[in-house]
Every structure is written in C-alpha cells, then in structure tokens.
Amino acid sequence: MINQGEQLSTTEAREAFFATTRLFQSKDVTLRRMVHLVIKELPTAPDDAIIATSSLTKDMTGKEDGYRATAIRSLCKITDMTMLTAIERYLKQALVDRNPAVSSAALVSTLHLGRDNNPAEMVKRWTNEINEALNSDNVMVQYHALGLMYSVKKHDRLAVSKLLAKYTKGGVRSPYASCFLIRIACKVIEENEQDNNGPLIDFLESCLRHKSEIVIYEAARALCNLPNLSGKDIAPAISVLQLFLSSPKPTLRFAAVKTLNKVATNYPSSVTMCNLDLEHLISDTNRSIATLAITTLLKTGNEGSIDRLMKQIQSFMSEIPDEFKIVVVRAIQGLCLKFPKKHDVMMNLLSTMLRDEGGYQYKEAIVNTIIAVIEANPASQDTGLYHLCEFIEDCEHGVLATKILHLLGREGPKTPTPSKFIRYIYNRVILENPTVRAAAVTSLAKFGAVCANLKPSILVLLRRCLFDTHDEVRDRATFYLGVLESNNPSLISQYLLDTLQSSIVGLQSLLVHYIDNPAKDAFNLNSVPITTAPAEVTPSSKTDDMVVDAPRKPALPSKSRQEEFAEKLGSIPEFARLGPVFKSSSKPIELSESETEYYVQCNVHTFPRHLVLQFDVTNTLNDQQLENVMVEVAAESYHVLGHLACPVLTYNNPGTCYTLLQLPEDPAEVPNTLTCTLKFLVKDCDPATGEADPVGYDDEYVLEDLTIGLNALFQKVFKSNFAAAWDELSPEKQADETYTLTTVKSLEGAVEQLITFFGMQPCERTERIAEGKSSHILLLAGYFKDGVECLIKTKIVFDGAVNMKVSARSSDTSLNELLVSSI
C-alpha cells in the first residue's frame, strides 16, 4: 500500500507498527526480514520506536546473517539523536563485519544518518573502521566505504585532496568506487580554478585503460564534460567512445552515442572521426541509438555531406515514431542555421515531412523550424513561405494555420512577388473555421497596407468577407476596410502594421495610478511600458541529452523580466508613488566578483522621474552576519533621495537593498558613472550554528563603479514597416551626425555596440549583416521615457575603419540632437 502511494494516518500507522512488532516472536528468516522492512517504511513516532529498538538491536548483533543487514537499516531509520549513542558501539562493529551484506548495510545506513541527523562528530570518530572497510575485497563494501568517507570529508578541501591523492594512485579494486573517484576528481577540477589539475587529469586518462567498461565510460564522459578543455585534450576520450560504438552491447552503444551527441555541440570537428561508425548506427534496431546517431551526424556534417545526409534521413524518418522525429527536426534546424547556403535541400526535406502523417507536436516542430530558418536566413524566405502555404491548404490544426497566416501577413508583403500568396490566404477565408478565417482577414489587410498595387484587389476580397456568418470575421473586415479606405498612413501604420505592444502589467499599474491620482490631462497610452520577451530559461543542451522529451502540459503565459520587477517594486510602499516602471536592465550588472567576500549585482529600474538601483548582495563569509546592509551612491548629476536597507544578511543567503535617485532634468546628464560603496554592520558568528554575537561593528566595502548609459531612458518598440514610420515623422526636426570609429574592427561589432548603446529595437532584421558586405543600414526604434517615439537610421561603411552617419527623428528636436551627439 505504501509503495503504491497510500498515505496512512497517524492512528493507522501506529496500529500497524504495534501489530508488526508482535511478529518478532517468529523464527522464520523471510518473515523477519519483512518485519524489518515494514518497520523501516512505516512513519513512526520516536516514543513508539523505542519499543522495537531492543528487538532490532538483538537481530543486528545476532548470529543469523539472513536478517542482520535489514535490522541495521531499520534501526538506523527509526533512530534519532537521543538513541544513537545506545547503538553506536554495535554500528561501529558492523562497519567491519566479515559479512559483506552487513558491512554495506552499516556503511550506507551511517551515510543516511549523517545526512538526516547530522551526527558529524560521531561519524568522524569511526574513520579507522571506514578505512578498514575501504580495504575490503568486496566491490560494494569498498564503494560504500568510499562514499561514506567522502561524505565525512567533503567540506574540507585539503582532506578531499589527500583522499584523491591516496586512492587515485591505486588501491581501489571496485569499479563502482573507481567511478565515484572519477566524479570526486571532476568536482575538484571544476572548483579549483588554478592550473594544478594535471595529476587529476592524468588519473582520468589512466581510467580510460581500466579493465572495467563502466569505469572507461565514466572517465570518457568526465573528460568530455570538463570545462576549459580543447578538442585535443578530449581526443583520447573520443577514441574510446568510438570503440564503444561498435560494441555488441546496446547499453554501451547508447551511452557512447549519447555522449558524442553532446560533445558534438561544442567540438564538432573532434567527433568527425566517428562519422563512419555513426552512419552504421543509423540502421541500429534500437531506434533511440539510431536517432542519436543521425542527430550527431547532423551536428558534425560538413556542407558537402548535406545532400547524402538528407537522403539518409528521408528513408530513416518513416521507421521512427513522432517523438524521435521531433529530435531529428530540431537537429535539422541547427544544420540550416549552420549552412545557410544549403537551405533549399533542407527546406525540401522539411516540406516532405509536413506532407507525411504525424501528430500536432511533430507538425508544430517542423513549422517552428521553417519559421526559425526564414527569420535567420532572408534568402530562404520565399521558399519557406511557399512550403508553409502548401501546408495550410490541407492543415487540420487550426493553431498552426493561424500561426502561419500571421507570418504570411508579416513577411509576405516584403517578398518580390507578394501576389502569389493571396490565393492561399483567401482560401482559408472560404474553407476554414472562424478562428482561422479571422486570422486570414487580418493577413489580407496587411498585404493591402504595404502593397499599393494589391490594395484594390484586397479591398474587393475584404468586402466579400462582410457577408461572413461569424461576427468576428465581419467586424475585422469592416474595421480594416475603414482603415485602408481612409488612405491615412498614420492610421494604417498604427492599427495594421504596428500592433499594441504595451505591457499588460504596466498598463494595469498605470491605470490604477491614474484613477487614484486624477489628472487634468487625458491618459497617455505612450507612457505605458513596452512589453518585453518572457523571462524564460535559456535553452540548454537538454535536447542533446534526452532522446525523447516528456509530454508537456500547456505552459501558462510567462511574465517578462520587467513585469516581474514591476510587481516586486509595486509591493514596496516607498516606491508605489513613483508610478510604473518604464524599463529594467536586461541583465544584472556585477559590481564585485563572485569569489570575493561580498558578491553584489545591480539591476537598474527607470521610472518617469526617478532611478531605482536594486542591489542583490550575497555574503560569502560563513563566520559573519551582516545587518543594515545598504549601498551608498555618489555622482555629480544625481540626487540621492533615500535608501532601503537589507535588515539581515546571513551566510550564502542573498538579500536585496535599494537606492532611490532623482533623474537629472537634462537627459544629457543621465549617462554617468556612479561610485558605489557597500556599508553594513558586521557581527561575528559561529560557522557551525550560525549564531551571531550580540555586538558588532560598522564596516564598508568598495564596489566597482556603476555606469548608467543613455539606454536607460529608452524602451524597445517593434516597427514592422520602418519606412512608413520614418516618413510619418517630420524630416525638418531630423538630426544628423557623422562618426569614424577607430576602435571597432568590423561591421558586426559596430552594429552590436550601437544596439547596446541606444537600447532600442532593431527593425526589419537589420541587426543581421549579410556575408561579405562592406556596408550596412541599421534601423532602430524606441520610446523615450516621456512617451516620445524615436527612430534612428544609421548608415555604416567599413573600409579598414568604421564610418557611419547617424540620423534621428522624433517629435522633439532636442531629443534628436541628444541621440546623434551622444556617441
């Protein structure tokens, strides 16, 4: 019942416990072991456990080896600190018992005792017995003894180093203990930043010649996962894994190809030597192995081998389920981005996959891959959109059809021949459900907004939509007809091309503030913070490690980083009067290194008239407790209005303090360097208990300077039609300036620095530079903190040095001058 998840009440557990203890009278060995198991699994109160302690102690010290081990496990599970001293002598003797099962049970139970009850000092007194167990001839006893010894010494770096030095030179016969030594060595190498890891690296390489296959694989995997190693350093491990690829054991083949799949992400050239063996695994009867082999080949393949790989994949895909197909599709996406010139071959394969049978997740993965390739490689745009149009002709998934129609409305008008997509879109208006029909109407309207030559035809099609049976479709058609027939570029741009990008959390906060504090002026939508990307975890190599993703529940809408900060700051009374957060820094700024005594990071939050500096502080000293922690800031153009200190900062528990600044009236004075000093009250404390002294002393810690840039005043905004937005703003207020950047050595470097400097949104994919180009135009769009829309057009030429002309347009002449003169 317990193993199946049944939860026993306290009364039920107590009754079952007492009933079970009566069975101690039985002499049957199997029944006695079952009694021990039940006692071990039942939730037992300390007062009740005393009843069984004497019987379990008698079984543990008896002559019947059949249940001595189970008695030790049960006794240690129900024993607390008050009863531990009573059984210490028996447990200590059991560590070196001649019966391996008893010795292993005692070692593992002691390890669990150390984790649960923290009897560290008592276990340290058993070092001689643990060392004796380490010399055992039994492989499991030696493995468990090493685990217990490491558990005792893991907080002492010197003791761990001595442990490694002793046993890496020999004396460990157990392959399991050798694997554990390898993992300890890897942990020490990762923690040790000095260049004295040579002996440990040599130990790992020596394990590649071990007689046990599990040790060889563990060493090879460890070498491949170590940071800061070159392809040459991991070559011996690659060679060993290559031998495993031809092993008759499926487990070894799977382990080897899985590790190589992960290595290929960072060292594709090092894994190339295994390509021939990997190709043989494509026909492996184990489909997991075959899938990993094909995805590894996709990572290591060169441009010349793509055609052959695509043919192999095409024949391979029909033999595997959708879960494996999704993994292959993701690998193809990486190959498309790696070799953009070969997009035609891979797009054709993806198109064939779209026409094949498959579930929603499989088709979604293909559609997402095609969209990612279109966005990364403009040359593939026409082909990719055509394949997607063919797919929606016979698409049974409304969500995917809507997504593709949205993409067509955004990208289709920019293609050389946009008219060829109209037929596919209008077919959806005739044949699909209301949701897809509404999306098709919106897509048609966008073609009419951008393509003047298609506008008359689009108006005809939209008028036909006025007779649709669904309200949403008719309402959209009516609205878009009115906007398009107005011939007002501003209306068309605002309602068709540039949709509302306001943050919902920011809009709610600003509306509440507006209602609570009535103003004479009307509510200004431009003052609402712009929404940013959700605060998602960066995709890691998880898809490389896992062959099949577990079924996922539909994800709830994620809050953006700015929305999370806005919610947090809004709950602090001292900042509630400041209004909504206009912008938060995209990533924390480090003001000290993580290895120093106090690790400090800063997030900068811009409000309409104020700046809030959020300092996240971590105390890395276990013998100190900090109180009243704050950061003093000094700068010429900023006025400090107040501090919000962190009351208590204990060891390794991050705390937060805030500093409130008044923004300068002149935006030109905002870019500045702030001097930061961490101030606090220090109280010495006991590292073991964390108890602090009642009396402390004031201290301070000088941090690195904090640089506030012009980008703190601007929020990103997306413009799907930059030219139309540029023409809407008056050219009479345009400001221009020419620069030569001698320190920047490439177009890419100049583009990256300009985007970071201004903090605006690159439009029409101008953040990407075509290969071989010597000139480029960067388009940036954003909002000033007062709600003024700003656009920047930068023409960049590289001829040994970067020469550029920066032009800025907005409704504010002084703001334009500030933008072009601030570089």
Side-chain angles (χ1 to χ4, degrees):
M1 289 173 62
I2 294 174
N3 289 339
Q4 290 178 355
E6 292 288 340
Q7 296 290 334
L8 299 181
S9 66
T10 304
T11 304
E12 291 172 336
R14 177 174 292 178
E15 291 176 354
F17 175 78
F18 284 116
T20 304
T21 56
R22 296 173 187 169
L23 296 175
F24 275 112
Q25 300 174 5
S26 173
K27 301 297 183 183
D28 185 82
V29 176
T30 305
L31 182 60
R32 187 66 66 89
R33 294 178 66 178
M34 287 297 296
V35 170
H36 296 164
L37 180 61
V38 172
I39 292 174
K40 177 173 172 287
E41 295 297 330
L42 281 174
T44 309
D47 294 339
D48 297 337
I50 298 175
I51 298 172
T53 301
S54 59
S55 299
L56 288 172
T57 305
K58 184 178 178 181
D59 287 351
M60 180 178 75
T61 57
K63 297 181 180 180
E64 179 55 62
D65 291 339
Y67 49 69
R68 288 177 61 202
T70 56
I72 292 172
R73 295 190 188 98
S74 300
L75 187 60
C76 291
K77 179 66 184 293
I78 67 173
T79 298
D80 60 8
M81 287 299 296
T82 58
M83 298 187 294
L84 192 58
T85 53
I87 65 168
E88 177 183 356
R89 178 167 60 91
Y90 305 116
L91 198 56
K92 188 176 178 182
Q93 291 173 355
L95 293 176
V96 292
D97 197 275
R98 288 179 296 178
N99 188 319
V102 175
S103 182
S104 281
L107 289 165
V108 175
S109 298
T110 304
L111 180 62
H112 289 309
L113 274 175
R115 290 174 179 171
D116 299 338
N117 301 311
N118 197 28
E121 295 302 323
M122 184 187 74
V123 177
K124 286 180 181 179
R125 297 198 298 267
W126 301 351
T127 304
N128 293 334
E129 285 74 16
I130 300 173
N131 276 323
E132 186 176 342
L134 264 169
N135 297 322
S136 171
D137 294 332
N138 186 274
V139 293
M140 293 308 295
V141 171
Q142 194 175 49
Y143 169 53
H144 293 147
L146 181 62
L148 181 57
M149 181 64 79
Y150 175 70
S151 177
V152 172
K153 298 185 176 183
K154 64 182 178 182
H155 297 296
D156 187 343
R157 285 193 175 187
L158 181 60
V160 172
S161 299
K162 289 181 178 179
L163 181 69
L164 284 172
K166 179 179 179 181
Y167 289 103
T168 53
K169 294 177 182 178
V172 176
R173 292 177 293 277
S174 168
Y176 309 112
S178 297
C179 291
F180 192 65
L181 270 180
I182 290 170
R183 297 189 180 187
I184 297 173
C186 289
K187 187 173 182 180
V188 171
I189 291 172
E190 291 172 0
E191 292 176 351
N192 191 358
E193 297 182 353
Q194 301 175 0
D195 298 328
N196 57 353
N197 293 321
L200 295 180
I201 299 291
D202 293 340
F203 164 68
L204 295 180
E205 292 182 352
S206 69
C207 290
L208 295 174
R209 299 181 291 275
H210 201 276
K211 61 182 179 181
S212 172
E213 291 173 339
I214 63 171
V215 177
I216 296 172
Y217 171 70
E218 186 68 31
R221 189 181 70 89
L223 282 169
C224 292
N225 290 339
L226 283 178
N228 304 322
L229 289 186
S230 64
K232 183 179 178 181
D233 295 329
I234 64 172
I238 301 292
S239 300
V240 168
L241 294 172
Q242 185 179 9
L243 293 175
F244 284 172
L245 292 177
S246 55
S247 170
K249 300 179 181 179
T251 50
L252 275 181
R253 297 199 304 273
F254 176 79
V257 73
K258 181 181 178 183
T259 305
L260 288 173
N261 185 281
K262 187 174 181 179
V263 174
T265 305
N266 299 320
Y267 306 99
S269 57
S270 299
V271 185
T272 305
M273 59 185 290
C274 306
N275 280 1
L276 185 60
D277 300 277
L278 290 169
E279 288 184 18
H280 292 156
L281 291 180
I282 294 177
S283 57
D284 196 283
T285 54
N286 187 311
R287 295 289 85 186
S288 296
I289 295 174
T291 305
L292 281 170
I294 198 70
T295 53
T296 307
L297 284 169
L298 289 173
K299 293 179 182 180
T300 60
N302 52 45
E303 200 163 354
S305 65
I306 287 178
D307 293 326
R308 177 169 51 84
L309 278 174
M310 293 302 108
K311 290 179 181 178
Q312 289 177 317
I313 291 174
Q314 196 162 1
S315 60
F316 168 77
M317 293 294 282
S318 60
E319 304 172 4
I320 58 176
D322 283 1
E323 290 82 1
F324 293 139
K325 289 178 182 178
I326 292 172
V327 178
V328 175
V329 169
R330 290 173 182 166
I332 292 175
Q333 177 180 337
L335 200 64
C336 287
L337 302 178
K338 186 178 179 182
F339 301 111
K341 292 181 180 179
K342 285 289 185 178
H343 70 267
D344 283 336
V345 178
M346 290 178 275
M347 280 288 195
N348 288 334
L349 175 62
L350 292 171
S351 175
T352 303
M353 292 179 183
L354 273 177
R355 292 193 295 270
D356 293 339
E357 293 294 326
Y360 170 75
Q361 289 185 338
Y362 173 48
K363 296 298 177 72
E364 182 188 33
I366 300 174
V367 170
N368 289 340
T369 295
I370 294 177
I371 293 175
V373 173
I374 290 172
E375 292 178 345
N377 183 10
S380 67
Q381 186 180 68
D382 207 52
T383 306
L385 291 177
Y386 177 74
H387 289 319
L388 292 176
C389 285
E390 290 288 340
F391 172 61
I392 60 174
E393 286 289 285
D394 191 27
C395 176
E396 59 184 10
H397 306 292
V399 175
L400 294 182
T402 304
K403 188 173 189 175
I404 293 171
L405 287 169
H406 173 73
L407 178 72
L408 286 171
R410 192 182 72 210
E411 304 295 340
K414 302 175 187 176
T415 59
T417 54
S419 58
K420 67 180 181 182
F421 301 114
I422 302 298
R423 173 174 65 88
Y424 297 100
I425 298 173
Y426 188 67
N427 282 348
R428 310 281 63 76
V429 177
I430 301 172
L431 303 172
E432 294 288 355
N433 59 56
T435 303
V436 178
R437 297 204 303 271
V441 168
T442 301
S443 185
L444 285 173
K446 289 184 178 180
F447 275 83
V450 178
C451 306
N453 59 326
L454 295 178
K455 185 176 178 180
S457 302
I458 297 296
L459 291 175
V460 171
L461 297 177
L462 289 177
R463 289 191 184 98
R464 292 180 184 176
C465 297
L466 296 176
F467 302 99
D468 194 276
T469 58
H470 197 273
D471 293 346
E472 177 67 21
V473 180
R474 293 196 305 272
D475 291 347
R476 288 197 187 195
T478 304
F479 174 71
Y480 293 141
L481 270 173
V483 173
L484 290 174
E485 289 177 341
S486 70
N487 294 318
N488 186 330
S490 177
L491 283 178
I492 292 173
S493 176
Q494 183 176 0
Y495 292 109
L496 275 175
L497 303 179
D498 300 322
T499 55
L500 184 66
Q501 301 174 50
S502 299
S503 163
I504 301 301
V505 174
L507 177 61
Q508 179 187 14
S509 174
L510 212 156
L511 285 171
V512 170
H513 184 266
Y514 183 80
I515 293 171
D516 294 341
N517 303 278
K520 295 181 180 179
D521 299 331
F523 182 79
N524 183 9
L525 193 60
N526 289 336
S527 64
V528 179
I530 305 300
T531 186
T532 54
E536 297 176 351
V537 179
T538 304
S540 65
S541 58
K542 182 178 179 181
T543 53
D544 299 329
D545 296 339
M546 301 296 293
V547 180
V548 184
D549 287 345
R552 293 175 296 175
K553 295 180 180 179
L556 295 174
S558 301
K559 291 182 181 179
S560 69
R561 175 181 168 87
Q562 177 163 325
E563 288 169 347
E564 289 179 350
F565 280 132
E567 187 175 332
K568 183 177 181 180
L569 293 171
S571 64
I572 301 174
E574 288 82 355
F575 303 142
R577 60 182 177 81
L578 304 180
V581 181
F582 173 73
K583 182 179 182 180
S584 296
S585 51
S586 58
K587 58 182 181 180
I589 305 164
E590 292 191 351
L591 300 184
S592 66
E593 296 181 358
S594 57
E595 296 80 13
T596 56
E597 299 95 323
Y598 313 110
Y599 179 47
V600 182
Q601 293 179 304
C602 179
N603 288 292
V604 181
H605 308 292
T606 306
F607 288 80
R609 297 289 177 266
H610 301 84
L611 210 64
V612 172
L613 305 181
Q614 173 186 324
F615 298 97
D616 298 321
V617 188
T618 303
N619 172 24
T620 63
L621 300 177
N622 62 357
D623 59 349
Q624 286 187 0
Q625 177 176 293
L626 310 185
E627 295 183 3
N628 196 28
V629 182
M630 57 179 286
V631 177
E632 279 198 356
V633 177
E636 294 181 0
S637 56
Y638 287 88
H639 176 55
V640 179
L641 298 179
H643 301 276
L644 192 61
C646 175
V648 179
L649 196 63
T650 56
Y651 166 64
N652 218 25
N653 289 319
T656 303
C657 57
Y658 299 90
T659 299
L660 177 62
L661 305 176
Q662 178 79 44
L663 276 173
E665 292 294 331
D666 185 1
E669 296 181 357
V670 170
N672 212 320
T673 300
L674 310 181
T675 302
C676 302
T677 305
L678 183 69
K679 295 197 171 184
F680 44 84
L681 178 72
V682 182
K683 289 185 177 180
D684 295 329
C685 67
D686 186 349
T689 62
E691 185 177 349
D693 293 343
V695 180
Y697 56 92
D698 292 323
D699 199 358
E700 62 182 43
Y701 184 82
V702 178
L703 303 172
E704 295 181 11
D705 292 342
L706 174 63
T707 302
I708 304 295
L710 192 67
N711 53 11
L713 301 179
F714 292 90
Q715 180 63 277
K716 296 180 179 181
V717 62
F718 180 75
K719 293 290 180 182
S720 59
N721 192 333
F722 187 88
W726 181 265
D727 293 338
E728 287 178 25
L729 296 172
S730 172
E732 298 176 358
K733 296 183 179 181
Q734 177 176 320
D736 303 283
E737 193 63 68
T738 304
Y739 292 94
T740 298
L741 306 180
T742 56
T743 58
V744 183
K745 303 302 181 184
S746 65
L747 284 177
E748 291 80 2
V751 168
E752 184 179 350
Q753 290 191 25
L754 285 170
I755 294 172
T756 304
F757 179 79
F758 287 114
M760 295 187 184
Q761 175 66 43
C763 299
E764 300 183 6
R765 299 197 186 96
T766 53
E767 71 275 15
R768 300 191 182 104
I769 301 174
E771 189 176 352
K773 292 286 186 179
S774 60
S775 62
H776 185 67
I777 297 178
L778 174 65
L779 308 176
L780 299 174
Y783 276 110
F784 186 59
K785 68 181 181 64
D786 291 335
V788 179
E789 182 181 87
C790 306
L791 302 178
I792 296 177
K793 181 185 291 186
T794 307
K795 299 178 181 178
I796 313 171
V797 178
F798 181 74
D799 55 357
V802 173
N803 299 293
M804 63 183 189
K805 179 183 178 182
V806 182
S807 303
R809 283 189 184 183
S810 73
S811 58
D812 189 337
T813 305
S814 61
L815 187 57
N816 297 336
E817 293 292 341
L818 171 65
L819 286 169
V820 299
S821 63
S822 59
I823 298 178

